[in-house]
Amino acid sequence: MKSKINKPGILEVAAMLSTIFFFGVMNGGSFLAFLFLYLAPLPLFILGLKKDSPWGGLVGAVAAILIFFVTTPQMSLIYLLAVAAPTTYFCEKATSRSDPTHQDWYSLSNLAILLVVPPILVFILASTYFWAHGQGLGAMLLEKTNAIVDLYIVALKDRGHTINPSISLQLEAIKKSFSNTAPALIAIFWMTLIVLNGLLAQSILKKAKRNQRPVFAIREIEVPRIFAITFLFIIVVASFSAGQFGYILTNLAAILAFPVMLAGLGLLHIVASKTNYSSSILFVLYLIITFSRWAAILIVMLGIVDHFLKLRGKFQADNMQ
């Protein structure tokens, strides 16, 4: 028996208007622009994950057209490629079944792997483009970073600040680090944007009892063997590589680390659930990850260890006893 599909209504219109508002504020350079950028996919996620609502893709397309006129063509294109299209695709996958019998929901592990595909494609295309034009992507980013830092130094001097040698060394280190990892940082920001808005939308819909998929449990995320081996292989080769090839491999490794980190977080969710303070433990954990890249690296390592030693299976077995 097919479920009844409702016509577009107030929620769809509200989602479209809020999306246009978010991008309008960002284009205006508001102090809250960063927050609105993070919330930009939320309206479409709510529509895409809502029960009996096939209008998410259409609303995203119409919103992109309206953003074209309200803001700029560039902002409209960014919204379409970075928000509307991937959000619609991930919602369609998340609310689909994984087998012909339609018993199981589409695997969250597969969704986590699919998450790295768009940023990797964009990164490879951008690297190829700048390499073909005689300037590597890293060199271009370093040039842009130098220009920004130079403006920052001029602004400090205009305010009467003295730039001592230690500050200059710190700025040089920041410039080099950012230019070497900027593609991965942007990719991780985008992937985090998608994951957080998807989880937030599911939570809102679940409280309203309008969710189509029962639950998104991060503890279900595991990386396949071929992915784990490929990830480790790229890390090893990148550590012995230099130049443009090393630059590409280093950023690829950082992007591929994201699903592994989600798998590591899944294990920590299982461990935390064995205690009476799971919410507090997870809150502190995510707070530490937000401000410490070393914590994130440790969780990536935990995800790899869990993959080969099957730690989550042992913890889950303990829960069943």
Side-chain angles (χ1 to χ4, degrees), residues 157-222:
K157 290 181 177 179
D158 289 341
R159 291 176 175 269
H161 295 284
T162 303
I163 308 300
N164 56 50
S166 63
I167 295 180
S168 297
L169 290 175
Q170 291 176 3
L171 291 175
E172 286 297 325
I174 291 173
K175 286 192 297 184
K176 186 176 180 180
S177 175
F178 177 77
S179 61
N180 286 339
T181 59
L185 293 175
I186 295 171
I188 291 170
F189 171 82
W190 178 82
M191 291 186 287
T192 304
L193 183 106
I194 295 297
V195 170
L196 291 182
N197 279 276
L199 294 175
L200 180 58
Q202 176 71 3
S203 176
I204 293 172
L205 290 170
K206 192 172 182 180
K207 289 180 179 179
K209 296 181 180 180
R210 301 288 298 278
N211 55 304
Q212 182 169 340
R213 182 168 179 150
V215 66
F216 285 155
I218 195 171
R219 66 182 63 190
E220 298 176 7
I221 298 178
E222 299 180 73

Side-chain angles (χ1 to χ4, degrees), residues 18-30 67 70-71 75:
S18 61
T19 299
I20 296 170
F21 171 73
F22 289 161
F23 269 74
V25 172
M26 284 192 301
N27 190 58
S30 168
I67 289 172
V70 174
T71 59
M75 193 68 73

